[in-house]
Amino acid sequence: MTRTWIVIGTRGSALALAQAHWVRDRLRERHPELEVRLALIKTKGDKIQDVPLAKVGGKGLFVKEIEDALLDGRVDLAVHSLKDVPAELPAGLAIDCLPEREDFRDSLVTPLGLDLESLPAAARVGTSSLRRQAQILHSRPDLTVMTLRGNLDTRLKKLAAGGFEAVVVAEAGLKRMNFNQVARRPFEPEVLLPAVGQGALGLETRRDDDWLGQKIAFLHHQPTAWCVSAERAFLVRMQGGCQVPLAALGRILGRSLKLDGLVASPDGRRFYRASMEAPLEEAETLGQRLADHLLDRGGREILAEVYKNASGQTD
């Protein structure tokens, strides 16, 4: 039977919908003969908003229910923020299509558009990420970093209500939501290294769905794929999850790929950062090499300590 439709699975947040709508609209333009519709799926991460991610299971919280729907055939395609996707996928699923990456930077949002250096001592900074927390405290140990969960618009409302002097969010989310009026200062990666895959979308399908793979192939951006391949290989080698402040960013320099990575203690006091370069075709190996380098420099001790402390907590 000839297929005439594609069902896209997505979370129901405003940002997730904006991303799914973008993919849907591109598919409709390219394949007007197909019906492309969305299926909204609520994930565990959407339901639990008052607990830090590190204590409730980490990144998989935002994708598991959608992946279950892919595996049982309720949806054909999932649109994820790649930074929310664990480095290892369930058997039978694949992310072989990566659209061109949006801005990979984090941004400091304040009512007056201040930068990090201009925040007053003890200013309250909201973030849901240990990675952001560690790097902020490394630069400004006098600040008060507080846990802030919720969708992007929810976090901005909490800032406007006076609960924080600043919040840190992904610049890609602000751009995809057209929040051009929001006063913010993007962090250059030399100051605050982004999450693995930040700013990139991952289009996940069933591995054996060759028909759909061909339909979405026009959206694939190989330079983005090289960069995030190195970053995700770094994450796998570091055995990283939300409990450990880890970051990596790949950038293309001619025919080479430069990868920056870091591992830090949550308080930012121990902080190991390094970079390496390799040919584009060796992206995955590059990620592994950089991870090994940082593990040997002190990262292994940080991971052991963090996981030991977390072992007594409920995941």
Side-chain angles (χ1 to χ4, degrees):
M1 184 179 68
T2 301
R3 290 168 64 179
T4 59
W5 68 89
I6 298 171
V7 180
I8 299 175
T10 176
R11 296 168 57 204
S13 72
L15 177 56
L17 286 173
Q19 295 172 168
H21 286 156
W22 182 86
V23 173
R24 180 200 64 186
D25 294 346
R26 302 293 81 73
L27 286 171
R28 286 176 172 175
E29 292 167 0
R30 186 72 169 227
H31 305 292
E33 75 282 4
L34 294 176
E35 177 189 356
V36 186
R37 60 182 184 269
L38 304 185
L40 273 59
I41 299 172
K42 199 160 191 175
T43 68
K44 187 176 180 181
D46 296 312
K47 298 173 184 176
I48 303 174
Q49 293 290 330
D50 57 350
V51 181
L53 289 178
K55 294 185 178 180
V56 290
K59 292 185 177 183
L61 289 172
F62 293 109
V63 301
K64 184 182 183 302
E65 287 81 1
I66 300 175
E67 290 179 330
D68 289 344
L70 265 176
L71 288 168
D72 65 24
R74 282 176 287 147
V75 304
D76 306 300
L77 173 67
V79 178
H80 302 298
S81 293
L82 195 62
K83 69 183 181 66
D84 292 334
V85 181
E88 297 180 357
L89 302 179
L93 299 182
I95 296 180
D96 294 327
C97 182
L98 297 158
E100 184 171 4
R101 192 177 208 165
E102 183 47 280
D103 198 317
F104 51 69
R105 297 174 296 176
D106 285 302
S107 280
L108 184 75
V109 181
T110 66
L112 299 178
L114 301 177
D115 59 19
L116 188 65
E117 292 73 23
S118 301
L119 289 177
R124 298 164 297 170
V125 180
T127 176
S128 60
S129 161
L130 287 179
R131 170 190 61 83
R132 291 168 178 155
Q133 171 184 302
Q135 294 183 82
I136 290 168
L137 291 176
H138 182 71
S139 297
R140 288 284 309 270
D142 59 301
L143 296 177
T144 304
V145 179
M146 301 171 61
T147 298
L148 175 61
R149 289 284 315 281
N151 298 327
L152 178 58
D153 44 356
T154 299
R155 292 185 233 179
L156 295 178
K157 288 177 182 176
K158 290 181 179 179
L159 172 67
F164 305 88
E165 278 70 57
V167 299
V168 184
V169 299
E171 178 66 14
L174 295 171
K175 289 185 173 179
R176 288 183 174 129
M177 292 286 287
N178 293 314
F179 285 167
N180 302 319
Q181 77 286 359
V182 173
R184 77 267 203 173
R185 293 290 188 94
F187 289 99
E188 293 307 317
E190 289 70 28
V191 177
L192 201 154
L193 204 60
V196 166
Q198 185 157 309
L201 298 181
L203 306 191
E204 189 174 23
T205 62
R206 290 180 290 277
R207 187 172 291 280
D208 61 358
D209 195 344
D210 295 332
W211 176 86
L212 183 55
Q214 294 173 6
K215 294 298 182 184
I216 65 176
F218 73 97
L219 287 169
H220 184 67
H221 186 248
Q222 187 56 45
T224 295
W226 276 319
C227 292
V228 301
S229 175
E231 295 167 20
R232 287 171 68 80
F234 173 87
L235 186 65
V236 170
R237 191 67 141 222
M238 296 293 289
Q239 299 182 350
C242 285
Q243 298 97 331
V244 183
L246 296 171
L249 175 65
R251 286 173 283 185
I252 293 176
L253 304 173
R255 290 296 301 172
S256 295
L257 178 63
K258 178 184 179 184
L259 183 65
D260 290 277
L262 74 81
V263 57
S265 59
D267 60 10
R269 293 179 180 176
R270 285 176 293 164
F271 194 90
Y272 303 102
R273 176 169 176 159
S275 65
M276 291 183 177
E277 292 186 26
L280 295 173
E281 296 77 11
E282 298 176 13
E284 187 172 340
T285 301
L286 175 62
Q288 295 168 349
R289 285 174 46 219
L290 183 59
D292 288 340
H293 175 71
L294 287 174
L295 286 170
D296 290 342
R297 280 184 58 188
R300 192 169 283 107
E301 287 72 25
I302 289 178
L303 265 65
E305 181 177 317
V306 169
Y307 286 129
K308 179 180 178 182
N309 292 338
S311 64
Q313 299 175 349
T314 302
D315 289 340

